[in-house]
Amino acid sequence: MARAMTTDARKKDTREKIELGGLIVKAGLRYEKRALLLGLLIDAAGRIHGDDAERSRLTAIGAEVFGRDAE
């Protein structure tokens, strides 16, 4: 039988979901349909699986945007 999440675990889970939603906003995709967002994420997951070059390319793009925020 599954145990209920503790209060701390629920808070951590909620914080993580909020942060992930923030990434959607940061990427400029706030107003896109959920189905499109899920499709984008599934496609990207497939493209980076086993493709270190693509993973590195996309990581560099994200790091650049995060770096701009620190300025």
Side-chain angles (χ1 to χ4, degrees):
M1 178 158 80
R3 296 179 62 179
M5 291 177 75
T6 65
T7 300
D8 287 342
R10 280 194 308 275
K11 286 180 181 179
K12 183 179 177 186
D13 183 63
T14 299
R15 166 62 34 211
E16 184 178 70
K17 289 174 182 174
I18 290 168
E19 289 172 356
L20 291 170
L23 294 175
I24 297 296
V25 172
K26 185 175 284 301
L29 299 169
R30 177 191 299 251
Y31 301 108
E32 296 298 339
K33 292 183 178 182
R34 291 182 308 166
L36 172 65
L37 296 173
L38 183 56
L40 287 168
L41 293 169
I42 290 169
D43 180 65
R47 285 188 289 119
I48 66 169
H49 184 73
D51 187 340
D52 291 337
E54 183 68 355
R55 179 181 291 271
S56 293
R57 184 183 77 80
L58 294 172
T59 299
I61 292 169
E64 181 181 337
V65 173
F66 280 131
R68 278 190 239 140
D69 290 348
E71 295 175 351

